[in-house]
Amino acid sequence: MDSTCQTEKAYKLAQEHYAVWGVDTEAALKNIYQIPISLPCWQGDDVGGFETPDAKLNGGGIQATGNYPGKARTIAELRADLDKALSLIPGQHRVNLHACYLENDNKFVDRNEITVEYFQSWIDWAKSGGLGLDFNPTFFSHPKADEGFTLSSLDDNIRQFWIEHGIACRRIAAEMGKQLGSPCVCNVWIPDGYKDTPIDRRGPRQRLSQSLDTIFAEKFSREHLLDSVESKLFGIGSESYVVGSHDFYLGYAISRRILLCLDTGHYHPTEQVADKISSVLTYLDEILLHVSRAVRWDSDHVVTLSDELLSLAEELVRGNFLERTHIGLDYFDGSINRIAAWVIGARNMIKALLLAFLQPLEQLRTLESEGDFTARLALLEEYRTLPAGAVWDYYCLKHNVPIGSAWLDEVRAYEKSVLARRIYSDDSQIEI
Ligand code: RNT
Ligand code: ZN
């Protein structure tokens, strides 16, 4: 029996198995196909960007570590790498760009002067690949962010510069959404904060609120642009105080009717983003998720199929929140093959959603409303070992992407024929 036949046969058995529990596997597969995942372009080059020939991540309280060979050196390489990754991920997805990934033909243009022209090639590429685009202003890796403050800076000139950047980015994002016929989520994350205990916690937050209001003053159609703000607990060098905290942005997003971005690495280790969703969506129309994996700190490790990821997906499915949630991945690991990093994280996100859709929700809801918590727990635990893998394999087969770990062979082949030929002048990577 060939492998296609085997996959189909295993799926049929799984389908029957799930039907006994009242779960329709076909419906689950249809559902997950509707959910785009936004891939972080910055996983492809360790958050370097292409603003200058030697651009690299600098400051911002975040850090990409690892020196795995093959990092994209140009926008063309980054797109080729993304194309490769996307070909190994079932479904239709999106790419999340940062402003520092502009195409400026080696003529430096500062952040407050960028326009959509510098992103037209990205839009054209996305259009030809049937992809959506999301966007982020870049408030780090810039001399005007070196003091650790941007939109909340005491210095009027610095604040004004970053306000102009925010305004420029929203215009770009709106145009991306317009040209691609799918709203672009433009997410504001700033690194502002203090290493040590501040005297004035209030001033920076007031300035941030005012700066944001100025940035968001221009109105765009929600069919083109969705504004979002992202909080954080702490960063490297902002351990004691972060201006854009969770409480700050929760209040801001609710009062301004914009999206709140919940990054799974930005909370206390025992806090669960899954538990926050039903609270924030009581008051907000939509949210953005930055699905990440924090290991001891906001380390932005590749997303794995962890209990945390599963409960996040379960919450989205159980609460019927998917239509109001934009899912983006946010990590950057330079210590492994970067294309594999995209593929692993995205496939895990989709798998988690599939697992959530394969749960016997009606039955579980009934048990809960009847107060039968014993059966609720028993079923949930029995459910963990049902043959979801066969359903997942069939989904991959149906959407023409490699089944099981076969995708890794393709990444290895690409590594040999493409990545290994990339030579780095600054010796930052080992030549292979
Ligand atoms: C930083 C935030 C932010 C960044 C990206 C690169 O802690 O999570 O979303 O990861 O903008
Ligand atoms: Zn994030």
Side-chain angles (χ1 to χ4, degrees):
M1 191 165 36
D2 70 6
S3 70
T4 301
C5 216
Q6 228 164 14
T7 304
E8 281 169 348
K9 205 170 158 199
Y11 173 68
K12 284 276 160 246
L13 284 173
Q15 190 175 26
E16 285 167 24
H17 208 121
Y18 278 104
V20 175
W21 295 72
V23 172
D24 179 351
T25 53
E26 287 292 310
L29 293 179
K30 243 188 226 142
N31 285 333
I32 54 166
Y33 190 66
Q34 306 303 321
I35 309 165
I37 309 298
S38 199
L39 297 189
C41 75
W42 51 90
Q43 164 59 57
D45 73 331
D46 309 345
V47 211
F50 298 102
E51 203 165 35
T52 56
D54 58 350
K56 46 168 122 31
L57 174 60
N58 177 20
I62 53 177
Q63 200 163 47
T65 53
N67 208 17
Y68 197 86
K71 172 166 88 174
R73 298 167 302 177
T74 61
I75 291 186
E77 288 181 354
L78 185 62
R79 283 185 200 137
D81 294 355
L82 276 162
D83 281 332
K84 186 76 219 170
L86 286 160
S87 75
L88 304 172
I89 302 165
Q92 295 168 306
H93 300 290
R94 307 176 64 85
V95 169
N96 201 359
L97 291 177
H98 240 284
C100 60
Y101 287 73
L102 78 175
E103 183 135 50
N104 62 11
D105 292 324
N106 287 325
K107 278 183 230 86
F108 178 76
V109 36
D110 214 343
R111 304 259 172 101
N112 59 339
E113 284 171 352
I114 55 173
T115 58
V116 72
E117 285 142 59
Y118 299 102
F119 294 90
Q120 192 57 50
S121 61
W122 278 109
I123 300 175
D124 297 341
W125 168 79
K127 199 176 242 170
S128 67
L131 300 163
L133 286 182
D134 296 306
F135 200 56
N136 305 260
T138 311
F139 293 99
F140 50 83
S141 305
H142 190 283
K144 287 197 166 71
D146 281 352
E147 298 302 313
F149 286 85
T150 61
L151 292 178
S152 71
S153 172
L154 253 178
D155 182 327
D156 292 345
N157 292 325
I158 292 204
R159 225 168 49 250
Q160 184 55 31
F161 174 83
W162 290 113
I163 288 172
E164 286 170 19
H165 178 55
I167 291 172
C169 285
R170 287 183 74 233
R171 290 183 182 154
I172 293 165
E175 186 59 28
M176 284 177 171
K178 189 175 176 188
Q179 288 193 35
L180 295 172
S182 160
C184 172
V185 182
C186 184
N187 178 53
V188 170
W189 172 74
I190 61 163
D192 301 27
Y194 283 118
K195 182 181 178 76
D196 224 327
T197 316
I199 304 303
D200 181 11
R201 291 174 186 270
R202 181 181 172 175
R205 291 190 170 133
Q206 283 177 332
R207 288 191 290 277
L208 175 56
S209 180
Q210 279 165 9
S211 297
L212 290 170
D213 283 350
T214 313
I215 290 175
F216 294 133
E218 193 170 351
K219 296 292 162 225
F220 294 94
S221 160
R222 281 180 81 94
E223 283 176 20
H224 303 151
L225 173 70
L226 293 171
D227 290 303
S228 155
V229 284
E230 178 181 6
S231 72
K232 190 159 177 168
L233 183 64
F234 77 93
I236 303 170
S238 61
E239 290 86 355
S240 302
Y241 170 77
V242 167
V243 184
S245 62
H246 175 68
D247 313 72
F248 176 89
Y249 279 128
L250 180 62
Y252 190 83
I254 291 172
S255 58
R256 281 19 176 219
R257 307 306 311 157
I258 59 171
L259 279 67
L260 182 71
C261 170
L262 301 164
D263 183 310
T264 56
H266 290 191
Y267 296 89
H268 291 279
T270 56
E271 270 185 286
Q272 293 282 318
V273 168
D275 186 45
K276 296 178 187 298
I277 293 172
S278 55
S279 295
V280 301
L281 282 178
T282 301
Y283 300 104
L284 286 172
D285 299 326
E286 294 176 59
I287 53 168
L288 168 67
L289 290 180
H290 270 188
V291 183
S292 191
R293 179 165 54 108
V295 177
R296 304 195 186 279
W297 69 291
D298 180 34
S299 56
D300 291 285
H301 278 66
V302 177
V303 167
T304 54
L305 194 55
S306 61
D307 280 352
E308 194 186 348
L309 185 69
L310 285 172
S311 55
L312 194 67
E314 284 167 355
E315 190 52 34
L316 294 174
V317 170
R318 292 173 187 169
N320 204 9
F321 293 132
L322 277 158
E323 276 181 14
R324 296 162 64 195
T325 305
H326 303 261
I327 304 178
L329 306 178
D330 183 12
Y331 53 78
F332 30 97
D333 187 344
S335 74
I336 59 172
N337 181 301
R338 295 170 184 79
I339 296 160
W342 273 316
V343 177
I344 294 166
R347 285 175 69 115
N348 278 334
M349 186 68 240
I350 304 166
K351 267 187 211 169
L353 289 163
L354 175 64
L355 286 165
F357 274 116
L358 288 175
Q359 290 189 341
L361 260 191
E362 285 318 311
Q363 212 175 336
L364 289 165
R365 279 204 185 98
T366 308
L367 291 171
E368 184 164 280
S369 61
E370 287 170 351
D372 190 349
F373 307 140
T374 309
R376 182 183 63 183
L377 180 62
L379 242 70
L380 279 172
E381 291 309 300
E382 282 307 319
Y383 232 71
R384 287 179 182 267
T385 46
L386 288 197
V391 183
W392 165 250
D393 286 350
Y394 179 69
Y395 185 63
C396 291
L397 175 75
K398 254 180 63 167
H399 294 288
N400 289 319
V401 307
I403 294 169
S405 60
W407 64 264
L408 186 57
D409 302 337
E410 289 205 26
V411 171
R412 289 282 182 234
Y414 185 80
E415 184 166 78
K416 249 196 175 153
S417 63
V418 180
L419 303 186
R421 290 172 203 269
R422 295 179 184 167
I423 309 290
Y424 302 86
S425 54
D426 66 353
D427 229 7
S428 72
Q429 304 221 345
I430 309 153
E431 292 178 20
I432 55 171

